[in-house]
């Protein structure tokens, strides 16, 4: 199985700041990388697919980038509703696998 | 709007089975697969498998073969997952999710159910 290593495990930032979350795959996944947001007590929601394609309805302050084995999720102008756990997931090979999550809090 | 409505929380005894349902609405049911995902505090998110809602064909993560059985009832747009021979390690929240069938959406889960909590305890 492809291993997904996500960092940092937790992150605290101020409102209006920009934050970046990283995801490293154990092998090349050719941009087949999705990001999900899980708000407290809720189910995960798709933010980005194919490394940099924004899902419908997702605010433009979210963006994704990367290629090969290294990917990142950037959140500009952090807002209070962004408090969540963020997961990456590779959809290149079976079974799909997830990163361990990054918990984002507001300072 | 797309909705996946899962059945409620389950409390089960070790060795027993549970069956979770996932009723879809707001889209053409057979145009997407339904995936099942396990979430625990310790192990994070684990992919169990998917069912092709048109053909009933299934894929299981090797780790969950023999544990999970996926079925579908097209007439009611409902997918099911049965978990058997339950142990405390099966205690988790289980999600169903609408899943793309073609690249680049293959294995991308763009709508999730609210989750079904399964607790295994004697």
């Amino acid at each position: 199985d492809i291993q997904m290593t996500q960092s940092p495990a937790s992150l605290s930032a101020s409102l209006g700041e920009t934050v970046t979350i990283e995801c490293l795959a154990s092998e090349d996944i050719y941009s087949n990388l999705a990001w999900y947001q899980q708000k407290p007590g809720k189910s995960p929601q798709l933010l980005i697919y194919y490394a940099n394609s924004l899902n419908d309805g997702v605010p433009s302050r979210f963006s994704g980038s990367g290629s090969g084995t290294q990917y990142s999720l950037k959140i500009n102008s952090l807002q209070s509703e962004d408090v969540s756990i963020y997961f990456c997931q590779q959809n290149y090979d079976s079974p799909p696998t997830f990163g361990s999550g990054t918990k984002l809090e507001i300072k | 709007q797309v909705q996946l409505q899962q059945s409620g929380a389950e409390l089960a005894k070790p060795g027993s089975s549970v069956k979770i349902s996932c009723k879809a609405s707001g889209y053409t049911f057979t145009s997407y697969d339904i995936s099942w995902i396990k979430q625990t505090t310790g192990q994070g998110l684990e992919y169990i498998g998917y069912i092709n809602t048109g053909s009933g064909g299934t894929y299981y993560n090797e780790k969950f073969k023999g544990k999970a059985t996926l079925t579908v009832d097209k007439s009611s747009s409902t997918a099911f997952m049965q978990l058997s021979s339950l142990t405390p390690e099966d205690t988790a929240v289980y999600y169903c999710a609408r899943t793309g069938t073609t690249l680049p959406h293959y294995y991308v889960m763009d709508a999730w159910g609210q989750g079904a909590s399964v607790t295994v305890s004697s």
Side-chain angles (χ1 to χ4, degrees):
Chain A
D1 297 1
I2 296 176
Q3 304 303 310
M4 305 300 293
T5 302
Q6 197 172 331
S7 61
S10 62
L11 185 53
S12 182
S14 301
L15 294 174
E17 271 192 48
T18 294
V19 299
T20 299
I21 298 168
E22 309 280 344
C23 195
L24 177 68
S26 59
E27 60 185 84
D28 195 330
I29 56 172
Y30 301 95
S31 297
N32 290 285
L33 190 284
W35 290 98
Y36 298 88
Q37 176 190 52
Q38 185 173 30
K39 295 188 177 184
K42 301 294 186 183
S43 53
Q45 300 296 314
L46 177 67
L47 292 175
I48 286 168
Y49 62 95
Y50 203 56
N52 60 15
S53 296
L54 216 58
N55 192 32
D56 292 343
V58 174
S60 59
R61 66 177 182 277
F62 291 90
S63 63
S65 63
S67 62
T69 62
Q70 297 184 292
Y71 299 87
S72 61
L73 171 70
K74 187 163 79 169
I75 310 172
N76 290 319
S77 302
L78 195 64
Q79 301 190 9
S80 56
E81 60 262 35
D82 298 335
V83 168
S84 301
I85 300 176
Y86 294 86
F87 296 94
C88 61
Q89 176 230 329
Q90 64 82 15
N91 62 307
Y92 173 68
D93 194 23
S94 303
T97 46
F98 295 86
S100 54
T102 295
K103 186 174 185 179
L104 175 60
E105 297 176 327
I106 303 295
K107 272 185 195 172
Chain B
Q1 72 282 23
V2 175
Q3 282 193 323
L4 297 174
Q5 183 67 36
Q6 296 185 235
S7 48
E10 301 267 6
L11 174 60
K13 298 255 189 274
S16 68
S17 298
V18 297
K19 191 170 186 178
I20 303 167
S21 65
C22 172
K23 183 171 175 59
S25 60
Y27 71 98
T28 301
F29 183 63
T30 52
S31 294
Y32 295 82
D33 295 338
I34 293 288
S35 292
W36 292 86
I37 302 98
K38 178 182 182 181
Q39 186 170 35
T40 58
T41 306
Q43 298 295 319
L45 293 165
E46 295 180 278
Y47 189 83
I48 296 170
Y50 74 81
I51 187 162
N52 181 308
T53 53
S55 67
T58 54
Y59 161 80
Y60 295 94
N61 182 341
E62 199 68 34
K63 181 177 178 180
F64 292 94
K65 284 183 178 177
K67 171 61 63 179
T69 302
L70 306 183
T71 56
V72 67
D73 176 8
K74 286 191 286 185
S75 67
S76 63
S77 299
T78 304
F80 302 90
M81 177 175 69
Q82 179 164 316
L83 299 169
S84 60
S85 303
L86 291 168
T87 72
E89 287 66 45
D90 297 316
T91 295
V93 175
Y94 292 87
Y95 293 99
C96 62
R98 190 178 82 161
T99 306
T101 59
T102 57
L103 289 172
H105 304 276
Y106 193 56
Y107 281 138
V108 174
M109 290 158 272
D110 69 350
W112 294 58
Q114 82 275 24
S117 174
V118 175
T119 302
V120 182
S121 173
S122 54

